[in-house]
Amino acid sequence: MPAAGLPIDTTIEIVTPENITFHYQLAGPFRRLPAYVIDVCLQALLLVGVALLAAALAIGIGAASWAIWLLAQFLLSWFYGGLCEAYWNGQTPGKRLMGIRVLAANGRPVNAYQAVLRNILRVVDTGPLISAEVLGGPPVPLIPTFAIGLVAMACNRRFQRLGDLVTHTIVVVEDRPWLPGMAPIEDPRAVELAEYLPPDLRVSRSMARALSHYAERRRFLSPARRREIARHLAQPLLTRFDLPDNTSYDLLLCAMYHRLFIADHGDVAP
Amino acid sequence: MKVATLLERRQASWLELDRLSSQAVRRMDAPQAARLAELYRSACADLALADAYQLPPGTVQYLHQLVGRAHNQLYRSRRFDVAAWGRTLLHDVPARIRHDRCIQVVFVLFWTTFLGAAALAHRRAGWAEEILPPAMLQSLEENFKEPLRDRDPAVNYAMAAFYIRHNTGIGLRCFAWGLLIIPGVREVVFNALVLGAAFGYMARPDVPESANFFNFVTAHGPFELTAIVLAAGAGLRLGMGWVRTGGLTRAASLQRTAADTMPMMGAAMLMFLLAALIEGFLSPTALPYALKAGVAILSTAMLLFYILILGSPRRA
C-alpha cells in the first residue's frame, strides 16, 4: 500500500524476510502487451508444431490424431500462461523476453493457484470482443479490445488488471541491472578548487544526494543549462566559503562532489 | 570511508551476485547456492546502509534491481500441491457447493430458462426457428437423421477431445465472465436458452429425429448440465465478491472469494471431462438405450451423493 512518504511513481516497496525494503518498478500495459503478443505468437507456433505432429501420426492412428490437436488447442488457450508462470517462477517466455515477472502483491512468488486463475480471467481482461465483421470477416466476436483490462489497470496504483486484482498479483520489471560507476570529474580545475574548500567540510544527507544527482546528470546538459541548475545551490555556498563571485557554479559543485565522494579526506555527516 | 573506495570494494561481490542470479538455483551445487544466499544477504545489507553510506542514486537503483533479481531467484513459485487436491475435492468443495447461494440461484435460473425455452419450442411452432440459427437446426436434423450406429473408434477419441475443448471452454468462459456478474448471467441464460430450445424442438412430434436425439443426449446430460451450472455458479460467487464484502475492502473480499471458487471450478472441469468421455465413447454408440439411461441414472446418483452426502455438514 502506498505510504505517505512514497514518491509519486510506478514503484512499490517490498519488505523481504531479511527485513530489507527494496523497490520494484511496476510493469505498465506497454511492456505487458508486447509480452502477451510474443506469447500468442509462440502459442500459434506450438499449435503449428502439434498440427504437423498430428498429421504425421494420422498415418498410424487415423482420425484419433485430431484428438491431440484439439486437446493441445484447449490446453494452450486456457492453461499456457498459468502453467508457464507456475513452473517458471512467474514468467512466460514472452515475459522473460520483455524482462517482466508476475509476483504476489506482497512481493512473494506466485503460487500455482494464482498463476492459473489470473490466466483464466484473462478472457475478461481482453474483452469486450469486437465482431470480426469490421475487418471483413465473419460476424463472430473475435477481435480483443483489451478495454476492460486497461480500465482496471488505470483504476489502481499497481497496474493490476482484473485477473491480478482477484488473485492479488502484480507484474514487475526485472531488468538485468547495470552498475553505474562514480561520475568522472575530468576537469583538473575542479580537483584544484577542492583544495580551497574548508578542511572540515561536512554536508547534510540531502545535500550529498543533490550533489551526486547533479554530478551524474551534468554530462547530459549544456554549459548554459548546467550554470542555470547549479546556481541555486552554488550561490549561497560561494558566500559561505568566501570564494570569489565569478567562480563557475558548475565547477564548485564538481569540486564538492570530488571532495566528498572521491578524494581521500573530509567526511560526510552521519 | 569514501564512496568511491566503498564501491570499489563491493563491486566484485555485486557483479558475482548478478552473475549467480542469472542461473537457475535448481541447477547449482550446494556451495554455489550457499554463496548466492550469502551474497544476497550482503547486498541487502548494502542496500539497507545505502543512505548512511551516501551512495549515489544510480548505485542505489542498481542495488534495488540487483536485490530484486536475487530475491526472485531465492524465493520461488510453489508448484501444484497435488496431494491436497483429494481432500479439497472430496471434502471442501461439496460442502461449499451445497451451501452456496450463488450456485442455487444459477441452478434455478438455468433450469427455469431451459425448461421454459423447451416448453415454448415444443408447443409453439416456429419459436425454436426464431431463437436458434438455421444452420444449427439443420445440422441437428442432419446429425440425427440416421439411427445411432457404431463408428470408427478413432473418431470417438477425436470427438471426446472436441467436447472437452468446446464444453470446458464454455464452462471456463461462464466462470470468468461471472466476475462482472451481468455478462456471466447473460452467458448462463444464453446457453440455457439455446440448449432448451434445441431440446424442445427435437422433442416435437413432427420432428422425426427425436428418438435418435434423446438416445444420444441421455447418457452425458447429467454431468454436462451440472458442470455448466457449477461453473457459472462459481463465477457468480466470484462476482459477488465485489458486492458483498463482509466488512473487507472490495479487493480483499474478491481475493478471499477467489480462493474459494477456484476448487469449485476445478470440480466443474472434472465433470466436463467425464461428460466429454461419455459423450465421445458411449452416447454415439448403438448400445441399447437402457444402458445409456442406466449411466444417466448412475451419474445423477453420483452427483447427488457428492453434493448431498459428501457436502453435508459433519464434524471435522
Side-chain angles (χ1 to χ4, degrees):
Chain A
M1 289 292 122
L6 223 58
I8 306 172
D9 206 350
T10 55
T11 53
I12 58 154
E13 264 189 10
I14 303 282
V15 180
T16 72
E18 290 75 23
N19 230 354
I20 300 296
T21 309
F22 68 92
H23 296 248
Y24 264 129
Q25 195 196 333
L26 291 163
F30 295 103
R31 226 179 230 262
R32 293 171 64 172
L33 189 66
Y36 177 63
V37 171
I38 292 173
D39 281 328
V40 169
C41 294
L42 197 65
Q43 285 176 49
L45 273 181
L46 282 173
L47 276 178
V48 170
V50 171
L52 290 178
L53 181 78
L57 282 176
I59 303 162
I61 57 176
S65 68
W66 276 105
I68 299 171
W69 155 254
L70 290 163
L71 281 181
Q73 232 180 336
F74 170 69
L75 290 176
L76 278 177
S77 66
W78 287 101
F79 298 104
Y80 164 89
L83 291 179
C84 280
E85 283 164 19
Y87 281 89
W88 229 9
N89 202 15
Q91 285 184 314
T92 59
K95 288 197 171 69
R96 178 163 282 193
L97 280 174
M98 294 307 295
I100 56 181
R101 192 191 286 279
V102 183
L103 292 179
N106 55 11
R108 304 232 180 92
V110 283
N111 55 36
Y113 140 76
Q114 289 171 313
V116 170
L117 183 56
R118 72 184 288 284
N119 280 286
I120 288 178
L121 294 176
R122 152 152 324 117
V123 190
V124 179
D125 281 306
T126 52
L129 299 179
I130 298 180
S131 166
E133 272 174 301
V134 288
L135 294 181
V140 189
L142 277 180
I143 306 168
T145 57
F146 298 96
I148 294 178
L150 281 175
V151 169
M153 278 171 135
C155 288
N156 64 69
R157 281 168 211 267
R158 295 190 281 202
F159 287 140
Q160 288 169 300
R161 60 177 175 86
L162 285 182
D164 289 324
L165 278 174
V166 169
T167 54
H168 204 43
T169 50
I170 50 175
V171 182
V172 298
V173 175
E174 198 196 70
D175 280 332
R176 191 146 185 203
W178 156 80
L179 175 62
M182 303 298 295
I185 304 293
E186 60 284 292
D187 193 342
R189 287 178 305 161
V191 183
E192 237 169 81
L193 181 59
E195 300 296 317
Y196 291 94
L197 297 175
D200 59 342
L201 175 65
R202 278 166 168 261
V203 299
S204 66
R205 282 185 185 189
S206 61
M207 167 89 95
R209 204 174 307 133
L211 282 173
S212 58
H213 260 303
Y214 177 75
E216 278 174 20
R217 293 291 163 99
R218 66 183 278 279
R219 64 200 148 111
F220 301 114
L221 307 172
S222 68
R225 184 67 77 194
R226 285 181 196 171
R227 189 184 146 73
E228 184 192 1
I229 291 175
R231 195 184 62 213
H232 302 290
L233 192 54
Q235 252 176 354
L237 286 174
L238 283 178
T239 344
R240 197 167 114 198
F241 299 150
D242 274 336
L243 290 170
D245 283 342
N246 58 357
T247 313
S248 154
Y249 299 144
D250 174 52
L251 208 58
L252 175 66
L253 294 195
C254 286
M256 288 186 67
Y257 179 78
H258 179 79
R259 173 70 172 280
L260 291 171
F261 288 92
I262 300 172
D264 272 336
H265 49 76
D267 213 349
V268 166
Chain B
M1 198 197 321
K2 285 293 169 180
V3 173
T5 337
L6 183 87
L7 283 186
E8 231 164 80
R9 280 193 204 167
R10 303 291 306 135
Q11 199 163 17
S13 80
W14 290 342
L15 291 176
E16 190 184 349
L17 177 59
D18 182 42
R19 212 172 44 246
L20 278 177
S21 333
S22 307
Q23 297 169 20
V25 176
R26 251 171 306 147
R27 282 191 220 106
M28 287 182 185
D29 51 13
Q32 254 183 327
R35 179 82 182 138
L36 172 65
E38 182 193 337
L39 288 170
Y40 166 67
R41 277 194 295 269
S42 75
C44 280
D46 290 334
L47 181 56
L49 291 173
D51 205 35
Y53 286 159
Q54 305 265 10
L55 292 185
T59 311
V60 174
Q61 200 189 345
Y62 167 80
L63 278 177
H64 278 300
Q65 287 176 332
L66 183 69
V67 167
R69 254 162 64 83
H71 177 264
N72 285 340
Q73 282 301 316
L74 285 171
Y75 299 92
R76 300 186 68 87
S77 56
R78 258 174 299 153
R79 309 288 168 80
F80 295 95
D81 186 3
V82 182
W85 285 8
R87 192 190 146 73
T88 311
L89 269 184
L90 292 179
H91 188 269
D92 302 347
V93 174
R96 233 172 251 143
I97 294 173
R98 189 177 158 165
H99 295 107
D100 198 307
R101 278 270 172 262
C102 287
I103 290 184
Q104 292 162 7
V105 166
V106 170
F107 181 84
V108 171
L109 184 70
F110 181 86
W111 282 106
T112 45
T113 316
F114 180 91
L115 293 175
L120 276 173
H122 186 63
R123 293 274 165 75
R124 278 197 209 161
W127 191 82
E129 285 86 337
E130 259 174 55
I131 294 290
L132 301 175
M136 184 176 167
L137 282 179
Q138 209 179 350
S139 79
L140 267 178
E141 293 185 2
E142 195 85 4
N143 288 343
F144 297 105
K145 197 169 276 171
E146 306 283 319
L148 299 175
R149 268 180 323 209
D150 286 328
R151 60 188 180 195
D152 180 8
V155 177
N156 286 350
Y157 285 100
M159 288 315 287
F162 172 78
Y163 297 131
I164 290 178
R165 189 195 73 165
H166 181 254
N167 299 345
T168 317
I170 289 181
L172 283 167
R173 215 164 294 128
C174 282
F175 171 71
W177 282 108
L179 176 61
L180 299 181
I181 301 179
I182 294 166
V185 169
R186 202 201 77 127
E187 201 90 4
V188 173
V189 172
F190 174 76
N191 277 304
L193 211 60
V194 169
L195 284 171
F199 270 69
Y201 177 79
M202 295 307 281
R204 277 223 304 253
D206 56 325
V207 176
E209 296 84 4
S210 173
N212 300 334
F213 176 75
F214 284 99
N215 193 348
F216 177 76
V217 296
T218 306
H220 60 262
F223 275 133
E224 192 170 309
L225 298 180
T226 312
I228 288 191
V229 169
L230 189 53
L236 184 63
R237 161 62 56 207
L238 186 61
M240 288 306 282
W242 294 107
V243 183
R244 301 194 48 180
T245 57
L248 300 169
T249 62
R250 285 193 202 281
S253 145
L254 257 186
Q255 286 145 19
R256 210 181 56 174
T257 12
D260 292 346
T261 54
M262 190 62 185
M264 288 202 262
M265 190 57 224
M269 274 165 42
L270 267 186
M271 287 179 202
F272 276 120
L273 177 70
L274 287 174
L277 291 180
I278 298 174
E279 191 173 1
F281 292 102
L282 177 67
S283 299
T285 56
L287 289 170
Y289 184 71
L291 181 73
K292 294 182 184 175
V295 169
I297 292 170
L298 187 70
S299 47
T300 312
M302 276 168 67
L303 285 171
L304 287 177
F305 175 79
Y306 183 65
I307 294 169
L308 295 183
I309 310 286
L310 287 183
S312 67
R314 35 180 176 176
R315 280 168 286 135

